Amino acid sequence: MNRLLSAAAVLAMVTFSAGIAQAEDLVFTLKNNTKSTLTHFYTSPVGVDDWEGDVFGAQVLEPGETIELTIADGRTVCEYDMRMEFEGSATLDTTEDTQNLCEMGSYTIHE
Protein backbone atom coordinates (compact mmCIF):
# COMPACT_ATOMS: atom_id res chain seq x y z
CA MET A 1 0.00 0.00 0.00
CA ASN A 2 2.87 2.40 0.81
CA ARG A 3 4.43 1.72 -2.60
CA LEU A 4 1.12 2.49 -4.29
CA LEU A 5 0.79 5.79 -2.39
CA SER A 6 4.43 6.68 -3.13
CA ALA A 7 3.95 5.95 -6.83
CA ALA A 8 0.78 8.05 -6.90
CA ALA A 9 2.57 10.94 -5.17
CA VAL A 10 5.48 10.81 -7.64
CA LEU A 11 3.06 10.69 -10.58
CA ALA A 12 1.16 13.70 -9.24
CA MET A 13 4.41 15.69 -8.81
CA VAL A 14 5.59 14.81 -12.32
CA THR A 15 2.23 15.78 -13.81
CA PHE A 16 2.21 19.06 -11.86
CA SER A 17 5.80 19.82 -12.90
CA ALA A 18 5.02 19.09 -16.55
CA GLY A 19 2.13 21.57 -16.42
CA ILE A 20 4.42 24.25 -15.06
CA ALA A 21 7.09 23.54 -17.67
CA GLN A 22 4.57 24.13 -20.48
CA ALA A 23 3.97 27.74 -19.48
CA GLU A 24 6.29 29.91 -21.57
CA ASP A 25 7.07 33.60 -21.54
CA LEU A 26 5.31 35.54 -24.27
CA VAL A 27 7.81 37.63 -26.23
CA PHE A 28 6.73 40.17 -28.85
CA THR A 29 7.91 43.39 -30.44
CA LEU A 30 6.07 46.66 -29.82
CA LYS A 31 6.53 49.58 -32.23
CA ASN A 32 5.35 53.12 -31.60
CA ASN A 33 4.34 54.40 -35.04
CA THR A 34 2.71 57.53 -33.62
CA LYS A 35 3.90 61.09 -33.06
CA SER A 36 3.44 60.76 -29.28
CA THR A 37 5.57 59.25 -26.51
CA LEU A 38 4.10 56.03 -25.10
CA THR A 39 4.47 56.38 -21.33
CA HIS A 40 2.58 53.36 -19.96
CA PHE A 41 1.77 49.94 -21.41
CA TYR A 42 -0.51 47.56 -19.51
CA THR A 43 -1.53 44.04 -20.48
CA SER A 44 -4.01 41.61 -19.07
CA PRO A 45 -5.28 38.29 -20.42
CA VAL A 46 -8.71 38.56 -22.02
CA GLY A 47 -11.37 37.98 -19.36
CA VAL A 48 -9.32 39.35 -16.45
CA ASP A 49 -11.08 42.43 -15.08
CA ASP A 50 -8.05 44.32 -13.74
CA TRP A 51 -5.01 45.69 -15.53
CA GLU A 52 -1.76 44.12 -14.44
CA GLY A 53 1.41 46.15 -13.77
CA ASP A 54 2.85 48.67 -16.20
CA VAL A 55 5.20 46.69 -18.45
CA PHE A 56 7.41 49.76 -18.99
CA GLY A 57 8.03 50.77 -15.38
CA ALA A 58 10.02 54.03 -15.63
CA GLN A 59 10.79 53.47 -19.33
CA VAL A 60 8.99 55.16 -22.25
CA LEU A 61 8.74 54.41 -25.97
CA GLU A 62 9.42 57.43 -28.16
CA PRO A 63 7.80 57.93 -31.59
CA GLY A 64 9.33 55.56 -34.16
CA GLU A 65 11.04 53.39 -31.53
CA THR A 66 10.66 49.62 -31.19
CA ILE A 67 11.09 47.47 -28.09
CA GLU A 68 11.01 43.74 -27.45
CA LEU A 69 8.71 42.96 -24.51
CA THR A 70 8.31 39.82 -22.44
CA ILE A 71 5.15 38.94 -20.57
CA ALA A 72 6.40 36.45 -18.00
CA ASP A 73 3.15 35.81 -16.16
CA GLY A 74 3.32 32.00 -16.29
CA ARG A 75 0.11 31.74 -18.29
CA THR A 76 -0.39 29.78 -21.49
CA VAL A 77 -2.79 32.29 -23.06
CA CYS A 78 -2.15 34.33 -26.18
CA GLU A 79 -5.04 36.80 -26.27
CA TYR A 80 -4.32 39.92 -24.25
CA ASP A 81 -6.07 43.19 -23.68
CA MET A 82 -3.65 46.09 -23.98
CA ARG A 83 -3.86 49.61 -22.60
CA MET A 84 -1.51 52.27 -23.90
CA GLU A 85 -1.16 55.71 -22.33
CA PHE A 86 0.54 58.53 -24.19
CA GLU A 87 2.16 61.76 -23.07
CA GLY A 88 0.49 65.06 -23.92
CA SER A 89 -1.73 63.94 -26.77
CA ALA A 90 -5.45 64.70 -26.80
CA THR A 91 -6.17 62.20 -29.59
CA LEU A 92 -4.09 59.34 -28.17
CA ASP A 93 -4.43 59.99 -24.45
CA THR A 94 -5.44 56.35 -23.81
CA THR A 95 -5.82 53.59 -26.38
CA GLU A 96 -7.04 50.03 -25.76
CA ASP A 97 -6.96 46.96 -28.01
CA THR A 98 -7.20 43.16 -27.85
CA GLN A 99 -4.88 40.93 -29.88
CA ASN A 100 -3.52 37.39 -30.11
CA LEU A 101 0.11 38.22 -29.39
CA CYS A 102 1.35 34.67 -30.05
CA GLU A 103 0.17 34.80 -33.67
CA MET A 104 1.32 38.35 -34.29
CA GLY A 105 4.83 38.33 -32.84
CA SER A 106 4.80 42.11 -33.16
CA TYR A 107 2.33 44.92 -32.60
CA THR A 108 2.50 48.40 -34.13
CA ILE A 109 0.60 51.30 -32.61
CA HIS A 110 -0.85 53.68 -35.20
CA GLU A 111 -2.62 57.03 -34.85
Side-chain angles (χ1 to χ4, degrees), residues 16-63:
F16 180 71
S17 297
I20 291 173
Q22 291 176 358
E24 293 183 20
D25 294 345
L26 177 58
V27 179
F28 68 101
T29 302
L30 179 67
K31 180 171 183 174
N32 183 359
N33 198 23
T34 72
K35 296 175 185 168
S36 302
T37 300
L38 180 59
T39 57
H40 302 284
F41 183 73
Y42 301 94
T43 62
S44 186
V46 170
V48 173
D49 292 332
D50 296 319
W51 292 109
E52 298 184 354
D54 182 6
V55 176
F56 284 171
Q59 188 174 350
V60 298
L61 191 63
E62 297 292 340

Short mmCIF file of all heavy atoms in Angstrom, two decimals, residues 16-63:
data_model
loop_
_atom_site.label_atom_id
_atom_site.label_comp_id
_atom_site.label_asym_id
_atom_site.label_seq_id
_atom_site.Cartn_x
_atom_site.Cartn_y
_atom_site.Cartn_z
N PHE A 16 2.25 17.66 -12.25
CA PHE A 16 2.21 19.06 -11.86
C PHE A 16 3.41 19.80 -12.44
O PHE A 16 3.28 20.88 -13.00
CB PHE A 16 2.19 19.19 -10.33
CG PHE A 16 2.15 20.60 -9.84
CD1 PHE A 16 1.01 21.37 -9.99
CD2 PHE A 16 3.26 21.17 -9.25
CE1 PHE A 16 0.98 22.67 -9.55
CE2 PHE A 16 3.24 22.48 -8.80
CZ PHE A 16 2.10 23.23 -8.95
N SER A 17 4.59 19.20 -12.37
CA SER A 17 5.80 19.82 -12.90
C SER A 17 5.71 19.98 -14.41
O SER A 17 6.15 20.98 -14.96
CB SER A 17 7.04 18.98 -12.55
OG SER A 17 7.20 18.93 -11.16
N ALA A 18 5.16 19.00 -15.10
CA ALA A 18 5.02 19.09 -16.55
C ALA A 18 4.09 20.23 -16.93
O ALA A 18 4.32 20.94 -17.90
CB ALA A 18 4.50 17.77 -17.11
N GLY A 19 3.04 20.45 -16.16
CA GLY A 19 2.13 21.57 -16.42
C GLY A 19 2.82 22.90 -16.26
O GLY A 19 2.62 23.83 -17.03
N ILE A 20 3.68 23.02 -15.27
CA ILE A 20 4.42 24.25 -15.06
C ILE A 20 5.42 24.47 -16.19
O ILE A 20 5.59 25.56 -16.69
CB ILE A 20 5.15 24.23 -13.70
CG1 ILE A 20 4.12 24.30 -12.58
CG2 ILE A 20 6.12 25.38 -13.58
CD1 ILE A 20 4.71 24.10 -11.20
N ALA A 21 6.07 23.42 -16.63
CA ALA A 21 7.09 23.54 -17.67
C ALA A 21 6.49 23.99 -19.00
O ALA A 21 7.18 24.57 -19.81
CB ALA A 21 7.81 22.21 -17.85
N GLN A 22 5.20 23.75 -19.23
CA GLN A 22 4.57 24.13 -20.48
C GLN A 22 4.31 25.62 -20.58
O GLN A 22 4.18 26.16 -21.67
CB GLN A 22 3.27 23.36 -20.67
CG GLN A 22 3.50 21.89 -20.90
CD GLN A 22 2.19 21.12 -20.98
OE1 GLN A 22 1.11 21.67 -20.82
NE2 GLN A 22 2.28 19.84 -21.23
N ALA A 23 4.21 26.31 -19.46
CA ALA A 23 3.97 27.74 -19.48
C ALA A 23 5.25 28.43 -19.96
O ALA A 23 6.31 28.21 -19.43
CB ALA A 23 3.58 28.24 -18.10
N GLU A 24 5.13 29.24 -21.02
CA GLU A 24 6.29 29.91 -21.57
C GLU A 24 6.07 31.42 -21.52
O GLU A 24 4.94 31.89 -21.57
CB GLU A 24 6.52 29.49 -23.01
CG GLU A 24 6.92 28.03 -23.15
CD GLU A 24 7.20 27.66 -24.60
OE1 GLU A 24 7.46 28.58 -25.41
OE2 GLU A 24 7.15 26.48 -24.90
N ASP A 25 7.16 32.15 -21.47
CA ASP A 25 7.07 33.60 -21.54
C ASP A 25 6.61 33.99 -22.94
O ASP A 25 6.98 33.37 -23.93
CB ASP A 25 8.43 34.23 -21.26
CG ASP A 25 8.91 34.00 -19.83
OD1 ASP A 25 8.08 33.60 -18.99
OD2 ASP A 25 10.09 34.22 -19.57
N LEU A 26 5.80 35.02 -23.00
CA LEU A 26 5.31 35.54 -24.27
C LEU A 26 6.18 36.72 -24.67
O LEU A 26 6.26 37.71 -23.96
CB LEU A 26 3.84 35.97 -24.14
CG LEU A 26 3.20 36.60 -25.35
CD1 LEU A 26 3.25 35.65 -26.55
CD2 LEU A 26 1.76 36.96 -25.05
N VAL A 27 6.89 36.59 -25.78
CA VAL A 27 7.81 37.63 -26.23
C VAL A 27 7.27 38.20 -27.54
O VAL A 27 6.92 37.46 -28.46
CB VAL A 27 9.23 37.06 -26.46
CG1 VAL A 27 10.17 38.15 -26.95
CG2 VAL A 27 9.75 36.43 -25.18
N PHE A 28 7.17 39.53 -27.62
CA PHE A 28 6.73 40.17 -28.85
C PHE A 28 7.38 41.55 -28.97
O PHE A 28 7.94 42.07 -28.02
CB PHE A 28 5.19 40.28 -28.90
CG PHE A 28 4.61 41.24 -27.89
CD1 PHE A 28 4.22 42.51 -28.27
CD2 PHE A 28 4.46 40.86 -26.57
CE1 PHE A 28 3.69 43.39 -27.34
CE2 PHE A 28 3.92 41.73 -25.64
CZ PHE A 28 3.54 43.01 -26.03
N THR A 29 7.32 42.09 -30.16
CA THR A 29 7.91 43.39 -30.44
C THR A 29 6.80 44.43 -30.49
O THR A 29 5.77 44.21 -31.13
CB THR A 29 8.66 43.36 -31.79
OG1 THR A 29 9.65 42.34 -31.73
CG2 THR A 29 9.31 44.67 -32.09
N LEU A 30 7.02 45.55 -29.83
CA LEU A 30 6.07 46.66 -29.82
C LEU A 30 6.71 47.85 -30.52
O LEU A 30 7.83 48.24 -30.19
CB LEU A 30 5.71 47.02 -28.38
CG LEU A 30 4.73 48.19 -28.19
CD1 LEU A 30 3.34 47.80 -28.73
CD2 LEU A 30 4.65 48.57 -26.72
N LYS A 31 6.01 48.42 -31.51
CA LYS A 31 6.53 49.58 -32.23
C LYS A 31 5.56 50.75 -32.07
O LYS A 31 4.36 50.60 -32.24
CB LYS A 31 6.71 49.28 -33.72
CG LYS A 31 7.25 50.49 -34.46
CD LYS A 31 7.64 50.21 -35.86
CE LYS A 31 8.23 51.50 -36.44
NZ LYS A 31 8.77 51.34 -37.75
N ASN A 32 6.14 51.90 -31.74
CA ASN A 32 5.35 53.12 -31.60
C ASN A 32 5.42 53.88 -32.92
O ASN A 32 6.37 54.60 -33.18
CB ASN A 32 5.89 53.97 -30.45
CG ASN A 32 5.06 55.21 -30.22
OD1 ASN A 32 4.09 55.46 -30.92
ND2 ASN A 32 5.46 56.00 -29.25
N ASN A 33 4.40 53.73 -33.75
CA ASN A 33 4.34 54.40 -35.04
C ASN A 33 3.42 55.62 -34.95
O ASN A 33 2.64 55.88 -35.86
CB ASN A 33 3.86 53.41 -36.11
CG ASN A 33 4.19 53.88 -37.51
OD1 ASN A 33 5.09 54.67 -37.71
ND2 ASN A 33 3.44 53.39 -38.48
N THR A 34 3.49 56.32 -33.81
CA THR A 34 2.71 57.53 -33.62
C THR A 34 3.66 58.71 -33.47
O THR A 34 4.88 58.55 -33.49
CB THR A 34 1.84 57.45 -32.34
OG1 THR A 34 2.68 57.55 -31.19
CG2 THR A 34 1.03 56.16 -32.31
N LYS A 35 3.09 59.90 -33.29
CA LYS A 35 3.90 61.09 -33.06
C LYS A 35 3.97 61.43 -31.58
O LYS A 35 4.47 62.48 -31.20
CB LYS A 35 3.30 62.27 -33.83
CG LYS A 35 3.33 62.06 -35.33
CD LYS A 35 2.64 63.17 -36.06
CE LYS A 35 2.59 62.86 -37.55
NZ LYS A 35 1.70 63.74 -38.29
N SER A 36 3.50 60.51 -30.73
CA SER A 36 3.44 60.76 -29.28
C SER A 36 4.28 59.73 -28.52
O SER A 36 4.43 58.59 -28.96
CB SER A 36 2.00 60.67 -28.79
OG SER A 36 1.19 61.60 -29.48
N THR A 37 4.79 60.14 -27.37
CA THR A 37 5.57 59.25 -26.51
C THR A 37 4.64 58.33 -25.75
O THR A 37 3.70 58.79 -25.10
CB THR A 37 6.42 60.07 -25.52
OG1 THR A 37 7.30 60.92 -26.28
CG2 THR A 37 7.24 59.17 -24.62
N LEU A 38 4.88 57.03 -25.84
CA LEU A 38 4.10 56.03 -25.10
C LEU A 38 4.71 55.95 -23.70
O LEU A 38 5.88 55.59 -23.55
CB LEU A 38 4.17 54.69 -25.81
CG LEU A 38 3.42 53.52 -25.18
CD1 LEU A 38 1.94 53.81 -25.04
CD2 LEU A 38 3.63 52.26 -26.01
N THR A 39 3.94 56.31 -22.69
CA THR A 39 4.47 56.38 -21.33
C THR A 39 4.13 55.16 -20.48
O THR A 39 4.89 54.82 -19.58
CB THR A 39 3.96 57.63 -20.61
OG1 THR A 39 2.53 57.63 -20.62
CG2 THR A 39 4.49 58.90 -21.28
N HIS A 40 3.00 54.52 -20.74
CA HIS A 40 2.58 53.36 -19.96
C HIS A 40 1.97 52.31 -20.89
O HIS A 40 1.23 52.64 -21.80
CB HIS A 40 1.53 53.73 -18.90
CG HIS A 40 2.00 54.78 -17.96
ND1 HIS A 40 2.88 54.53 -16.93
CD2 HIS A 40 1.73 56.10 -17.89
CE1 HIS A 40 3.12 55.63 -16.26
NE2 HIS A 40 2.44 56.61 -16.83
N PHE A 41 2.30 51.03 -20.62
CA PHE A 41 1.77 49.94 -21.41
C PHE A 41 1.35 48.83 -20.46
O PHE A 41 2.17 48.24 -19.77
CB PHE A 41 2.84 49.43 -22.39
CG PHE A 41 2.35 48.35 -23.31
CD1 PHE A 41 1.49 48.64 -24.34
CD2 PHE A 41 2.77 47.04 -23.13
CE1 PHE A 41 1.04 47.64 -25.19
CE2 PHE A 41 2.33 46.04 -23.98
CZ PHE A 41 1.46 46.33 -25.01
N TYR A 42 0.05 48.58 -20.41
CA TYR A 42 -0.51 47.56 -19.51
C TYR A 42 -1.05 46.41 -20.35
O TYR A 42 -1.58 46.62 -21.44
CB TYR A 42 -1.67 48.14 -18.68
CG TYR A 42 -1.28 49.32 -17.84
CD1 TYR A 42 -1.46 50.62 -18.31
CD2 TYR A 42 -0.76 49.15 -16.57
CE1 TYR A 42 -1.11 51.71 -17.54
CE2 TYR A 42 -0.41 50.24 -15.78
CZ TYR A 42 -0.59 51.52 -16.28
OH TYR A 42 -0.23 52.59 -15.50
N THR A 43 -0.93 45.20 -19.84
CA THR A 43 -1.53 44.04 -20.48
C THR A 43 -2.29 43.25 -19.44
O THR A 43 -2.01 43.33 -18.24
CB THR A 43 -0.48 43.11 -21.11
OG1 THR A 43 0.38 42.61 -20.09
CG2 THR A 43 0.32 43.82 -22.19
N SER A 44 -3.24 42.49 -19.92
CA SER A 44 -4.01 41.61 -19.07
C SER A 44 -4.65 40.55 -19.96
O SER A 44 -5.16 40.90 -21.04
CB SER A 44 -5.09 42.41 -18.34
OG SER A 44 -5.75 41.63 -17.41
N PRO A 45 -4.62 39.29 -19.59
CA PRO A 45 -5.28 38.29 -20.42
C PRO A 45 -6.76 38.62 -20.59
O PRO A 45 -7.39 39.16 -19.68
CB PRO A 45 -5.12 36.99 -19.62
CG PRO A 45 -3.95 37.23 -18.74
CD PRO A 45 -3.99 38.69 -18.41
N VAL A 46 -7.29 38.33 -21.76
CA VAL A 46 -8.71 38.56 -22.02
C VAL A 46 -9.53 37.86 -20.95
O VAL A 46 -9.24 36.72 -20.59
CB VAL A 46 -9.09 38.06 -23.43
CG1 VAL A 46 -10.60 38.07 -23.63
CG2 VAL A 46 -8.39 38.88 -24.49
N GLY A 47 -10.51 38.55 -20.39
CA GLY A 47 -11.37 37.98 -19.36
C GLY A 47 -10.95 38.34 -17.95
O GLY A 47 -11.72 38.12 -17.01
N VAL A 48 -9.75 38.89 -17.77
CA VAL A 48 -9.32 39.35 -16.45
C VAL A 48 -9.77 40.80 -16.31
O VAL A 48 -9.52 41.62 -17.20
CB VAL A 48 -7.77 39.23 -16.29
CG1 VAL A 48 -7.31 39.86 -15.00
CG2 VAL A 48 -7.36 37.78 -16.38
N ASP A 49 -10.45 41.12 -15.22
CA ASP A 49 -11.08 42.43 -15.08
C ASP A 49 -10.13 43.57 -14.71
O ASP A 49 -10.48 44.73 -14.90
CB ASP A 49 -12.21 42.37 -14.03
CG ASP A 49 -13.37 41.52 -14.53
OD1 ASP A 49 -13.57 41.43 -15.75
OD2 ASP A 49 -14.07 40.94 -13.69
N ASP A 50 -8.97 43.28 -14.18
CA ASP A 50 -8.05 44.32 -13.74
C ASP A 50 -6.81 44.36 -14.62
O ASP A 50 -6.35 43.33 -15.10
CB ASP A 50 -7.61 44.08 -12.29
CG ASP A 50 -8.77 44.17 -11.32
OD1 ASP A 50 -9.62 45.07 -11.48
OD2 ASP A 50 -8.83 43.33 -10.40
N TRP A 51 -6.27 45.56 -14.81
CA TRP A 51 -5.01 45.69 -15.53
C TRP A 51 -3.88 45.24 -14.63
O TRP A 51 -3.87 45.53 -13.44
CB TRP A 51 -4.77 47.14 -15.96
CG TRP A 51 -5.73 47.59 -17.01
CD1 TRP A 51 -6.74 48.48 -16.86
CD2 TRP A 51 -5.79 47.14 -18.36
NE1 TRP A 51 -7.42 48.63 -18.04
CE2 TRP A 51 -6.86 47.81 -18.98
CE3 TRP A 51 -5.04 46.24 -19.11
CZ2 TRP A 51 -7.19 47.61 -20.31
CZ3 TRP A 51 -5.38 46.04 -20.43
CH2 TRP A 51 -6.44 46.72 -21.03
N GLU A 52 -2.93 44.53 -15.19
CA GLU A 52 -1.76 44.12 -14.44
C GLU A 52 -0.73 45.24 -14.50
O GLU A 52 -0.98 46.28 -15.10
CB GLU A 52 -1.26 42.79 -14.98
CG GLU A 52 -2.34 41.74 -14.78
CD GLU A 52 -1.96 40.33 -15.19
OE1 GLU A 52 -0.88 40.12 -15.75
OE2 GLU A 52 -2.78 39.44 -14.93
N GLY A 53 0.42 45.08 -13.89
CA GLY A 53 1.41 46.15 -13.77
C GLY A 53 1.85 46.73 -15.09
O GLY A 53 1.80 46.09 -16.14
N ASP A 54 2.32 47.98 -15.04
CA ASP A 54 2.85 48.67 -16.20
C ASP A 54 4.11 47.94 -16.67
O ASP A 54 5.08 47.81 -15.93
CB ASP A 54 3.18 50.12 -15.81
CG ASP A 54 3.70 50.95 -16.96
OD1 ASP A 54 3.72 50.45 -18.11
OD2 ASP A 54 4.09 52.09 -16.72
N VAL A 55 4.08 47.45 -17.90
CA VAL A 55 5.20 46.69 -18.45
C VAL A 55 6.45 47.57 -18.56
O VAL A 55 7.56 47.09 -18.41
CB VAL A 55 4.82 46.10 -19.83
CG1 VAL A 55 5.99 45.37 -20.47
CG2 VAL A 55 3.63 45.15 -19.69
N PHE A 56 6.28 48.86 -18.79
CA PHE A 56 7.41 49.76 -18.99
C PHE A 56 8.13 50.15 -17.70
O PHE A 56 9.32 50.43 -17.73
CB PHE A 56 6.96 51.06 -19.66
CG PHE A 56 6.69 50.93 -21.13
CD1 PHE A 56 6.11 51.97 -21.82
CD2 PHE A 56 7.02 49.79 -21.84
CE1 PHE A 56 5.86 51.88 -23.17
CE2 PHE A 56 6.78 49.69 -23.20
CZ PHE A 56 6.19 50.74 -23.85
N GLY A 57 7.41 50.23 -16.59
CA GLY A 57 8.03 50.77 -15.38
C GLY A 57 8.36 52.24 -15.61
O GLY A 57 7.50 53.01 -15.98
N ALA A 58 9.62 52.64 -15.44
CA ALA A 58 10.02 54.03 -15.63
C ALA A 58 10.40 54.33 -17.09
O ALA A 58 10.67 55.47 -17.44
CB ALA A 58 11.21 54.35 -14.72
N GLN A 59 10.40 53.34 -17.93
CA GLN A 59 10.79 53.47 -19.33
C GLN A 59 9.66 54.05 -20.16
O GLN A 59 8.48 53.92 -19.82
CB GLN A 59 11.17 52.08 -19.84
CG GLN A 59 11.77 52.03 -21.19
CD GLN A 59 12.22 50.61 -21.52
OE1 GLN A 59 12.23 49.74 -20.67
NE2 GLN A 59 12.59 50.39 -22.75
N VAL A 60 9.98 54.69 -21.29
CA VAL A 60 8.99 55.16 -22.25
C VAL A 60 9.39 54.68 -23.64
O VAL A 60 10.53 54.26 -23.86
CB VAL A 60 8.85 56.71 -22.24
CG1 VAL A 60 8.38 57.20 -20.89
CG2 VAL A 60 10.14 57.39 -22.66
N LEU A 61 8.46 54.78 -24.59
CA LEU A 61 8.74 54.41 -25.97
C LEU A 61 8.46 55.64 -26.83
O LEU A 61 7.31 56.04 -27.02
CB LEU A 61 7.87 53.22 -26.39
CG LEU A 61 8.22 52.55 -27.72
CD1 LEU A 61 9.63 51.95 -27.69
CD2 LEU A 61 7.21 51.46 -28.06
N GLU A 62 9.52 56.22 -27.36
CA GLU A 62 9.42 57.43 -28.16
C GLU A 62 8.84 57.12 -29.54
O GLU A 62 8.88 55.97 -29.99
CB GLU A 62 10.80 58.07 -28.31
CG GLU A 62 11.43 58.53 -27.00
CD GLU A 62 10.72 59.69 -26.36
OE1 GLU A 62 9.97 60.43 -27.05
OE2 GLU A 62 10.89 59.88 -25.13
N PRO A 63 8.32 58.14 -30.24
CA PRO A 63 7.80 57.93 -31.59
C PRO A 63 8.86 57.28 -32.49
O PRO A 63 10.03 57.66 -32.48
CB PRO A 63 7.49 59.35 -32.07
CG PRO A 63 7.23 60.11 -30.82
CD PRO A 63 8.16 59.52 -29.80
#
